[in-house]
Amino acid sequence: MVRSYSKYEQSQAFAVVNSASSNLVWAADSSISIGSGRSSGAGRAYVGANEEVLCWDVKKGELLSRWRDTASNAQVTAIARSGADQDVFAVGYEDGSIRIWDERTSTIIISFNGHKSAITTLTFDASGVRLASGARDTDIILWDLVTEVGLFKLRGHKAQITALHFLHIGTDDSPEGDSVRPTDLEAEQIFLLSTGKDALIKLWDVQTQHCVETHVAQSNGECWTMGVSLDSSGCITAGNDGEMKVWSIDLEGLRHSATRIGDVNEPRYLRERGVLYRQGKDRTLGISFHSLTDYVAIHGSEKAVEIWRIRTESEIQKSLARKRKRRREKAASNDTKDAEEMKNDEETHDKIETADADVSEVFVPYVTVRTGGKVRAMTWMSVRGQKKLQLLASMTNNSIEVFEVPRRSKTKTPTNDEVPEYNRVYSVDLPGHRTDIRSLALSSDDRMLLSASSGSLKVWNVRTQSCLRTLESGYALCTAFIPGDRIAIVGTKDGQLEIFDISSSALIERMDAHDGSIWTLHVHPDGRSVATGSADNTVKFWKFEIVQEEIPGSKRTSPRLTLVHFRTLKVSDDVLSLRFSPDGRLLAVSTLDNTVKVFFTDSLKLFLNLYGHKLPVLNISISSDSKLIATCSADKNVRLWGLDFGDCHRAFFAHSDSIMQVSFIPRPSSSDETHMFFSASKDRLIKTWDGDKFEQVQKLQGHHGEIWAMAVSQTGDFVVTASHDKSIRVWSRTDEPIFLEEEREKELEELYESTLTTSLENETELPDGQDGVAAASKQTISTLTAGEKIAETLELGTADLELVRDWEAQKAVKPSLAPPQRDFVFLALGNISAERHVLNTLSGIPAAQLHDALLVLPFSALPALFTFIAIWIRRQWNTTLVCRVLFFMLNTHQKQVVASRELKSMLENMRSDLRQTLGGMKDVLGFNMAALRFVGDRVQENGMSRLEDVVAEDSMASRKRAFVDVA
């Protein structure tokens, strides 16, 4: 009989505040309550947290909502919020996919797939109808959110896209200051600014889909970011060494650019105004203009955000006047002739306008905000009624901070040396560790989880994922609960042992236990002692003892737990891991010389020497029946040994990187699971193994970084892992059985699918220095499946259509003729007609995937498809979808269609029907739009009141009336 195993699946992921892979978005508190409780008034922060998007209440530090697509495990790399519809967010992922989320329902509205690698930047246009995305694959794609399709792909950058921004230019005939922006591409000139790591800044015309002009944005390496002013009149690009270039954008020139086609002298719309230098010389990663005031926030990769101020026109004139006065005084003291020349120069300088002033006169440093960690992203907060500037920053150390900066006083003139005092007002940091978790330990009842990192120790409730306690510690390397689960013991990098009382959140004792780092510790199965292994080549044994400690200021004493050292085992090299056998008879110790030594616990005599690993053994685990020992090593192998003779049962090449942890189930509920064990590695995978059959059972994927620690529950109901991605994940056992053959087949399918999609991407490379446009398409497994489904349905539908037509022809002669035997698929769907079945199949494909699915169809399938399209047009079924399919197929196969006599005749037949159908729809739409305009005019009229102002004249008895319309 084939053996089945229990399947493990990820059930929880917590301890992440934000990831260093994504930016953040701030939003004011909405009228719709999200999560529990009322809004706090400080707004919400949307951050990427591995594969999820988390929404945090900035003031309370509460998690309001989390968005995750269960079908994908890709990491979030970019987030953007629509300015037109505040509840719509675009989220870009590491695999090149984009999902449009609705904040109110926390559901996906649209999914786009067009990029080949991670999304780096996203931006909506002002109408919220179009979305521009840039990625590491150097492409820019424009997406239409109404028709749910990719419009086109702009290709020209030679490295990853770092920033995008839409420029909306009103048409020539539009009145100045008209804030109403039409959503049609033809009705408004729209340009797109883009920067890339190739140090170029490009200006694209969205309507004509070509690059208007290209400039070198940075003189010393990559361009990492771009910030555009609120009125779009200028922008700043930045890169390495703190260098920032300021550019002016000629909006008026862009407005009239359409009329200048064919001019001999090509105008330049982007003009370099000068270079600024930050105080920090690191790489500049973010520039953000404040939406209401003249401040700019700039941050690099270090622990600081620099705030610069944009001077007013009067301040610039005063500064220029001061400089002229100094020059005049200096020249007067030097020579009278120089003074005369200086005077003539000053007369010309007086005519200098603010627009032509040096950028260092316009942008001046205001204050540098020091943050608690390296800044990943930042944005301004605009809280209503708040007079101070508020800055929201996400750190690479798993925290979010809010800073308040006072604005420059308009009444009193501050001195140049006076630095504004900023302060940190809020932070979201409790739900996670600042550094990587190095050790995990579960309590005896599996309810509490202990996680330790450099500087902090946290106790979690496993079921609710809430942080119960946070304790300050040293650089923790190993942890354990002492029997009773009220006290935890921690071994540190400094060689100290720290004992914490969890209930009172107090450090009971800190003792110098070893001369080197304590890499491992394990509590004896009898619960009375603990063994610690260190880099000082010793294993020390400690007894738990209760001592009476005097209470200061009184004669009373209180009991306190302490550790008493009673035995030492010296070995030849650094101790990396140790384990007692569950029966307490043996002690296994792994050392830096790649060996594992097994000693008798009572006499400490050497029992076995296990040789075989080529690199140091990083972890050991002994099965619950004390018969097997599993060792994992930096040589990527797991070895199973017998504890009776020390023979190696099997060596597995288990992972593609160092294996950090291995663990048997401590108290398995059935005898079949006694020799089941888990391994966790730096290759981000957890694997389950059968130690009796020497087979890999399951591969668990989910982490986005190296896995450092793992803990298995007592009966193996769940496994907890901690990773470099700052997350703690719980993998729970489910009722679903899995079989080894099925798992192998699934792995082969995944391998085949990954190679299949990559082989379909056959884009031609552009010559150097040329820009181009391409279709925004990408074949995925879902589009290939949808294409195959359409082909099958067409084949089935064509056969059924002919069958029904023959029957109808025969029935005209023989009215009593029985209906034909149709395919069981149509019968199963309620005797549905073939044409309706094919249309249902097409309408069931998501709009964003339809074009890619149709590309899968061969040209030979076109006659069948056009046959059905002709029927749908005649019957006026789903005209929008039918026209979309028809026009796309004509565009794709234009040359072949023109050359085919059969298809040309079919198109001629459907042309008149289509024109009639579309004409009718056009009339209906025109009538509806006219009615809406009429209703709008009526509403506007009802909102107006007429006031009469009666003026009496003395000379005349008549009265004058002045009529004023007041809204």
Side-chain angles (χ1 to χ4, degrees):
M1 184 178 172
V2 178
R3 184 183 169 184
S4 65
Y5 299 87
S6 297
K7 186 178 183 179
Y8 283 83
E9 285 182 351
Q10 183 184 318
S11 58
Q12 299 164 17
F14 56 98
V16 185
V17 177
N18 67 299
S19 292
S21 61
S22 168
N23 64 319
L24 84 161
V25 172
W26 178 84
D29 289 315
S30 63
S31 56
I32 305 163
S33 61
I34 298 173
S36 59
R38 295 167 57 190
S39 61
S40 61
R44 307 183 302 277
Y46 295 88
V47 292
N50 296 326
E51 70 276 11
E52 297 178 318
V53 176
L54 302 183
C55 173
W56 293 98
D57 185 314
V58 173
K59 190 173 182 180
K60 295 178 182 176
E62 285 181 3
L63 181 62
L64 300 177
S65 64
R66 59 170 74 214
W67 309 340
R68 188 191 172 192
D69 183 7
T70 51
S72 171
N73 195 44
Q75 209 167 1
V76 174
T77 53
I79 307 171
R81 189 187 189 201
S82 172
D85 188 349
Q86 303 284 332
D87 296 321
V88 173
F89 287 77
V91 181
Y93 293 84
E94 201 174 31
D95 59 356
S97 61
I98 301 166
R99 292 173 181 81
I100 311 298
W101 290 85
D102 186 348
E103 179 202 27
R104 288 164 296 189
T105 57
S106 297
T107 53
I108 299 169
I109 310 170
I110 313 165
S111 289
F112 291 127
N113 226 320
H115 289 285
K116 289 183 282 187
S117 55
I119 307 294
T120 53
T121 178
L122 293 166
T123 182
F124 284 93
D125 72 343
S127 63
V129 172
R130 286 170 292 267
L131 173 74
S133 62
R136 284 188 193 150
D137 60 7
T138 75
D139 292 333
I140 301 165
I141 299 182
L142 256 76
W143 308 91
D144 192 325
L145 271 66
V146 176
T147 56
E148 300 183 13
V149 293
L151 297 172
F152 48 84
K153 184 185 289 183
L154 299 171
R155 303 172 70 195
H157 283 283
K158 301 300 175 196
Q160 84 169 43
I161 312 299
T162 53
L164 293 170
H165 188 84
F166 278 105
L167 297 175
H168 292 266
I169 315 295
T171 50
D172 294 339
D173 53 355
S174 66
E176 281 294 323
D178 187 10
S179 61
V180 179
R181 290 193 167 107
T183 55
D184 188 14
L185 274 169
E186 308 297 328
E188 186 186 19
Q189 286 178 285
I190 299 177
F191 294 86
L192 185 68
L193 268 177
S194 67
T195 57
K197 273 177 70 177
D198 53 4
L200 297 179
I201 178 170
K202 286 178 177 284
L203 181 64
W204 305 84
D205 189 333
V206 173
Q207 197 169 340
T208 58
Q209 303 172 17
H210 80 285
C211 181
V212 178
E213 59 183 85
T214 303
H215 295 273
V216 176
Q218 297 304 124
S219 59
N220 57 349
E222 301 100 336
C223 176
W224 282 97
T225 184
M226 174 179 65
V228 181
S229 63
L230 202 64
D231 58 357
S232 300
S233 62
C235 66
I236 301 175
T237 58
N240 298 331
D241 301 331
E243 181 190 77
M244 301 184 294
K245 269 193 185 176
V246 182
W247 304 81
S248 66
I249 303 169
D250 184 6
L251 297 175
E252 194 60 36
L254 285 171
R255 185 176 284 113
H256 302 289
S257 61
T259 60
R260 289 178 181 164
I261 297 170
D263 282 2
V264 179
N265 298 323
E266 284 193 7
R268 288 292 181 188
Y269 307 113
L270 277 175
R271 293 190 187 90
E272 187 183 333
R273 287 291 309 278
V275 179
L276 299 170
Y277 288 94
R278 291 172 49 228
Q279 291 176 357
K281 297 302 175 190
D282 54 323
R283 177 194 301 161
T284 307
L285 294 178
I287 299 173
S288 178
F289 284 79
H290 198 283
S291 58
L292 302 173
T293 57
D294 294 331
Y295 291 91
V296 187
I298 303 160
H299 78 87
S301 55
E302 295 303 322
K303 300 181 180 182
V305 177
E306 293 180 27
I307 298 176
W308 290 55
R309 190 171 61 83
I310 305 171
R311 281 176 168 168
T312 60
E313 193 168 340
S314 60
E315 284 183 281
I316 296 168
Q317 293 290 1
K318 282 179 186 175
S319 175
L320 291 171
R322 276 198 303 271
K323 288 192 175 180
R324 285 197 295 269
K325 187 180 177 184
R326 285 196 202 112
R327 281 200 297 269
R328 201 181 299 126
E329 289 171 355
K330 190 175 181 182
S333 61
N334 289 343
D335 193 356
T336 53
K337 187 180 177 183
D338 290 347
E340 193 66 34
E341 289 176 7
M342 200 67 193
K343 190 175 181 183
N344 295 335
D345 289 343
E346 293 303 334
E347 288 174 3
T348 58
H349 270 84
D350 284 336
K351 296 172 185 174
I352 291 177
E353 293 184 5
T354 310
D356 299 323
D358 187 63
V359 286
S360 59
E361 298 289 343
V362 183
F363 295 92
V364 289
Y366 183 58
V367 66
T368 301
V369 176
R370 302 290 172 188
T371 57
K374 289 185 178 180
V375 183
R376 168 58 184 88
M378 56 80 202
T379 186
W380 292 104
M381 295 167 59
S382 301
V383 179
R384 188 177 294 173
Q386 179 59 249
K387 292 180 180 178
K388 292 183 178 180
L389 299 171
Q390 286 194 316
L391 192 71
L392 176 69
S394 65
M395 314 299 163
T396 56
N397 66 355
N398 198 29
S399 64
I400 302 170
E401 294 180 345
V402 178
F403 296 91
E404 271 188 1
V405 182
R407 298 186 191 187
R408 186 174 180 272
S409 176
K410 293 179 181 177
T411 53
K412 64 173 186 177
T413 54
T415 60
N416 293 333
D417 298 332
E418 188 180 336
V419 178
E421 288 187 3
Y422 64 87
N423 60 325
R424 192 182 79 169
V425 285
Y426 311 122
S427 67
V428 183
D429 53 10
L430 277 179
H433 286 271
R434 302 288 73 76
T435 53
D436 289 5
I437 297 167
R438 307 306 299 223
S439 178
L440 291 172
L442 281 164
S443 61
S444 58
D445 57 2
D446 293 335
R447 291 185 180 183
M448 284 193 298
L449 174 71
L450 192 67
S451 62
S453 68
S454 172
S456 68
L457 188 73
K458 286 182 181 283
V459 182
W460 307 83
N461 183 321
V462 176
R463 190 174 57 84
T464 62
Q465 305 129 55
S466 57
C467 182
L468 306 175
R469 298 281 187 274
T470 300
L471 309 162
E472 284 189 18
S473 70
Y475 195 130
L477 295 175
C478 50
T479 54
F481 277 102
I482 288 175
D485 299 333
R486 294 184 61 183
I487 291 170
I489 184 168
V490 177
T492 68
K493 197 174 182 179
D494 301 330
Q496 294 180 324
L497 278 176
E498 297 176 336
I499 306 169
F500 292 94
D501 187 339
I502 292 168
S503 55
S504 64
S505 301
L507 175 67
I508 299 174
E509 190 177 2
R510 178 181 284 128
M511 60 174 70
D512 294 322
H514 287 271
D515 297 330
S517 302
I518 301 175
W519 289 109
T520 179
L521 62 86
H522 192 217
V523 178
H524 194 279
D526 64 7
R528 295 179 182 177
S529 64
V530 63
T532 58
S534 167
D536 62 1
N537 304 2
T538 61
V539 176
K540 290 187 178 180
F541 299 85
W542 311 79
K543 281 191 295 186
F544 300 135
E545 282 195 3
I546 304 294
V547 295
Q548 297 296 327
E549 188 178 46
E550 284 190 13
I551 300 172
S554 67
K555 293 182 180 179
R556 288 181 298 164
T557 59
S558 64
R560 179 176 67 82
L561 181 85
T562 188
L563 297 179
V564 178
H565 174 232
F566 70 97
R567 204 160 43 155
T568 302
L569 169 67
K570 289 188 177 180
V571 289
S572 59
D573 225 322
D574 293 15
V575 177
L576 299 179
S577 181
L578 62 85
R579 276 292 175 276
F580 287 103
S581 61
D583 58 9
R585 193 171 66 90
L586 301 171
L587 170 69
V589 179
S590 75
T591 54
L592 201 62
D593 59 2
N594 312 345
T595 63
V596 177
K597 299 175 176 65
V598 183
F599 299 90
F600 289 105
T601 309
D602 49 4
S603 63
L604 294 185
K605 286 184 178 178
L606 184 64
F607 172 50
L608 297 170
N609 236 329
L610 308 178
Y611 298 98
H613 284 288
K614 297 179 181 69
L615 288 171
V617 174
L618 301 177
N619 199 242
I620 305 169
S621 184
I622 300 175
S623 63
S624 57
D625 57 3
S626 300
K627 290 181 179 177
L628 288 182
I629 178 170
T631 59
C632 66
S633 164
D635 63 7
K636 309 169 190 175
N637 285 293
V638 171
R639 285 177 177 264
L640 271 180
W641 317 75
L643 268 179
D644 40 9
F645 303 109
D647 54 323
C648 181
H649 289 184
R650 185 62 67 93
F652 308 94
F653 182 73
H655 292 267
S656 58
D657 209 334
S658 301
I659 304 166
M660 303 305 293
Q661 296 267 309
V662 65
S663 179
F664 283 99
I665 299 171
R667 294 187 180 88
S669 51
S670 69
S671 57
D672 291 341
E673 296 177 344
T674 306
H675 294 161
M676 287 280 295
F677 66 94
F678 301 84
S679 64
S681 164
K682 285 168 76 174
D683 66 359
R684 308 176 181 186
L685 297 176
I686 302 110
K687 292 184 178 180
T688 60
W689 304 85
D690 185 344
D692 292 326
K693 291 190 173 183
F694 312 122
E695 291 273 9
Q696 178 192 317
V697 177
Q698 198 184 352
K699 183 168 66 177
L700 303 172
Q701 293 175 308
H703 279 291
H704 300 281
E706 300 91 340
I707 299 170
W708 297 122
M710 178 176 69
V712 181
S713 67
Q714 296 294 326
T715 55
D717 287 337
F718 62 88
V719 182
V720 187
T721 53
S723 162
H724 175 64
D725 62 15
K726 303 290 192 298
S727 69
I728 299 173
R729 294 173 192 259
V730 181
W731 311 83
S732 299
R733 182 170 20 199
T734 61
D735 296 331
E736 184 184 344
I738 56 170
F739 302 92
L740 298 180
E741 292 79 9
E742 288 180 6
E743 286 298 302
R744 298 298 89 79
E745 283 175 18
K746 197 186 291 181
E747 285 177 16
L748 287 171
E749 278 176 17
E750 286 173 4
L751 186 66
Y752 170 69
E753 286 175 359
S754 63
T755 53
L756 181 67
T757 49
T758 48
S759 64
L760 288 165
E761 300 297 333
N762 53 354
E763 286 188 352
T764 54
E765 290 296 321
L766 287 170
D768 285 345
Q770 285 194 20
D771 302 314
V773 64
S777 64
K778 179 190 173 186
Q779 290 293 354
T780 60
I781 294 302
S782 54
T783 58
L784 290 173
T785 309
E788 288 170 3
K789 193 176 179 183
I790 295 171
E792 286 174 14
T793 312
L794 281 173
E795 190 180 339
L796 201 66
T798 307
D800 187 74
L801 205 63
E802 290 175 1
L803 182 71
V804 171
R805 277 178 181 169
D806 291 345
W807 174 71
E808 285 174 348
Q810 291 175 15
K811 193 179 179 184
V813 180
K814 295 181 182 178
S816 60
L817 188 69
Q821 186 65 37
R822 300 176 70 201
D823 194 281
F824 69 90
V825 172
F826 299 104
L827 299 174
L829 293 168
N831 212 16
I832 194 172
S833 65
E835 51 269 32
R836 178 60 74 181
H837 178 53
V838 176
L839 186 61
N840 288 348
T841 303
L842 280 170
S843 57
I845 297 166
Q849 296 177 8
L850 183 61
H851 286 180
D852 291 327
L854 290 169
L855 285 173
V856 177
L857 293 179
F859 181 73
S860 57
L862 245 64
L865 182 62
F866 280 8
T867 305
F868 284 104
I869 287 174
I871 297 169
W872 298 331
I873 290 171
R874 214 176 304 122
R875 298 181 184 177
Q876 296 187 4
W877 286 356
N878 202 343
T879 310
T880 310
L881 177 67
V882 172
C883 287
R884 187 178 161 192
V885 172
L886 174 62
F887 298 149
F888 178 76
M889 295 309 280
L890 287 175
N891 277 332
T892 308
H893 303 283
Q894 184 188 6
K895 292 177 182 177
Q896 294 93 325
V897 169
V898 170
S900 170
R901 192 172 291 175
E902 179 195 358
L903 291 176
K904 278 174 73 177
S905 61
M906 290 176 75
L907 287 170
E908 284 292 331
N909 294 334
M910 72 172 78
R911 187 172 64 172
S912 57
D913 291 338
L914 184 60
R915 184 168 288 175
Q916 185 181 346
T917 303
L918 291 177
M921 289 184 73
K922 187 180 175 184
D923 292 341
V924 171
L925 287 171
F927 180 81
N928 290 343
M929 285 178 70
L932 285 171
R933 278 198 208 97
F934 176 74
V935 171
D937 291 342
R938 277 297 177 87
V939 169
Q940 198 170 357
E941 283 175 14
N942 291 336
M944 307 281 281
S945 300
R946 178 160 287 193
L947 300 180
E948 294 181 11
D949 190 9
V950 181
V951 181
E953 291 187 1
D954 295 336
S955 59
M956 297 173 65
S958 63
R959 292 180 172 179
K960 281 189 177 181
R961 281 186 178 157
F963 294 95
V964 181
D965 286 339
V966 180

